[in-house]
Amino acid sequence: MRFLLTDEQREFGRSLDALLTAADTPAVLRAWAAGDHGPGRALWGRLADAGVFALAVPEAYGGVGPLPVETAVACVELGRHAVPGPVAETLAAGVLLAGAGGPVAVEWLPGIASGAAVVSLTLEGYGPYAPDADAADAVFTVTGDELRLAPGPGEPSASADPARRLFRPEPGGAPVAKGPAIRAAARAAGDTASFATAALALGCGEELLRATVAYVKQRTQFGVPVGSFQAVKHRLADTLLGLEFARPLLYGAALELASEVSRPGAGTGSAAGSPGAGAAVAAAKVTAGEAGYAAALTALQLHGAIGYTEELDLAWWLRRARPLRDAWGTPSACRARVLAG
């Protein structure tokens, strides 16, 4: 099967690339890691104006979604530019709250679509930490069939990526919705978070490979570019193959999620949740995550000692690859889900 984006989808990706190239995301990342969220929130607003966060919000709440293919296009670009903030979590919250319905959906979904609300969340089965909870306007938690709004971000925990801080949300908080629909919405939200993270990981790997190819063309040894060495060519080719193998799995998962949305009886917030869609998402997540991490290892090896330096922008992508690989479904958990599906 061939996965070809439409002209409109490709133009959407190009427009986001142009927006983010002009935004100087390394400077935004440094500010975000230092606790200054102003530049990041300003960039978030521009991305929202481009329609990124409306992709996961149904039209009834001011969005245009769910549109999984367009979400993949957007998240690949955001991953290539290492955009800070709880991107996958906010998109997943759009699906979670749409599935929950009621007052909480009316209150928060229009803000998510417009970019006014940055949201993080935790779900059972995916670990207790909410990324960037200190920068979020709301942190939602799901336990069983209860959806709660956490009273605070909680205490920070160690993170390999200083621009992706982890928090264990404060316990408590009154339930804002409950019932069997919450369990189904949480499953759909988990798949959405995993799917978006797979796209972010793929984009991160693409940028690591691009930067490494450019570097080995410039770095010389024995009077010739190191990129001319056969061993270097093979390493780069293996990295490229890993990323290109992940791409059709990502878009295949997007089509599975899109078919979930359109199936008879699917609710306005149902973008995932079936075993078939979940297995497709898990396959994309493990493949894209491993490919992105392999690209980081290649980049670090071929850059040599300069790859360790704080001053090099590449360091932000290097430190992001492994957390993206493990977030919202570790490789082992994803492989188990693929086998079960």
Side-chain angles (χ1 to χ4, degrees), residues 11-55:
E11 181 57 33
F12 179 47
R14 286 192 292 266
S15 68
L16 290 177
D17 179 42
L19 185 159
L20 293 168
T21 299
D24 188 16
T25 52
V28 177
L29 280 163
R30 287 185 168 86
W32 190 275
D36 178 7
H37 301 133
R41 289 295 296 252
L43 177 57
W44 192 279
R46 293 197 292 274
L47 290 170
D49 290 342
V52 170
F53 302 107
L55 295 172

Side-chain angles (χ1 to χ4, degrees), residues 50-277:
V52 170
F53 302 107
L55 295 172
V57 177
E59 292 183 19
Y61 299 99
V64 296
L67 294 174
V69 176
E70 286 76 7
T71 298
V73 172
C75 286
V76 168
E77 292 301 324
L78 270 60
R80 286 207 309 116
H81 290 273
V83 171
V87 172
E89 292 73 25
T90 296
L91 291 169
V95 173
L96 173 66
L97 299 180
V104 67
V106 173
E107 179 180 0
W108 287 99
L109 285 177
I112 289 175
S114 69
V118 176
V119 177
S120 192
L121 79 164
T122 65
L123 300 172
E124 284 186 308
Y126 291 99
Y129 298 113
D132 298 305
D134 61 330
D137 300 297
V139 179
F140 290 99
T141 64
V142 176
T143 304
D145 61 359
E146 288 189 342
L147 171 64
R148 295 176 182 266
L149 180 59
E155 292 296 320
S157 298
S159 174
D161 182 357
R164 190 177 185 276
R165 302 177 67 198
L166 301 177
F167 291 80
R168 188 187 291 267
E170 292 181 8
V176 294
K178 61 173 60 178
I182 300 302
R183 290 183 182 270
R187 287 194 299 270
D191 283 350
T192 299
S194 183
F195 172 70
T197 303
L200 292 169
L202 178 61
C204 180
E206 288 181 347
E207 176 57 20
L208 285 164
L209 178 60
R210 184 208 63 77
T212 305
V213 169
Y215 180 72
V216 298
K217 289 180 179 179
Q218 298 172 358
R219 180 185 173 191
T220 61
Q221 193 173 32
F222 308 118
V224 296
V226 298
S228 64
F229 300 160
Q230 197 71 13
V232 172
K233 291 180 179 180
H234 285 172
R235 185 67 184 267
L236 292 171
D238 288 343
T239 302
L240 176 62
L241 284 174
L243 294 168
E244 289 302 315
F245 184 72
R247 193 182 315 279
L249 289 177
L250 177 68
Y251 287 109
L255 294 180
E256 287 285 348
L257 297 181
S259 67
E260 269 298 289
V261 175
S262 61
R263 69 177 173 81
T268 58
S270 178
S274 75

Side-chain angles (χ1 to χ4, degrees), residues 276-301:
V281 169
K285 176 62 172 58
V286 67
T287 309
E290 294 281 28
Y293 183 53
L297 296 178
T298 297
L300 186 59
Q301 181 184 30

Side-chain angles (χ1 to χ4, degrees), residues 2-15:
R2 298 179 67 196
F3 299 107
L4 295 177
L5 299 176
T6 65
D7 291 340
E8 291 80 7
Q9 290 164 343
R10 286 194 292 269
E11 181 57 33
F12 179 47
R14 286 192 292 266
S15 68

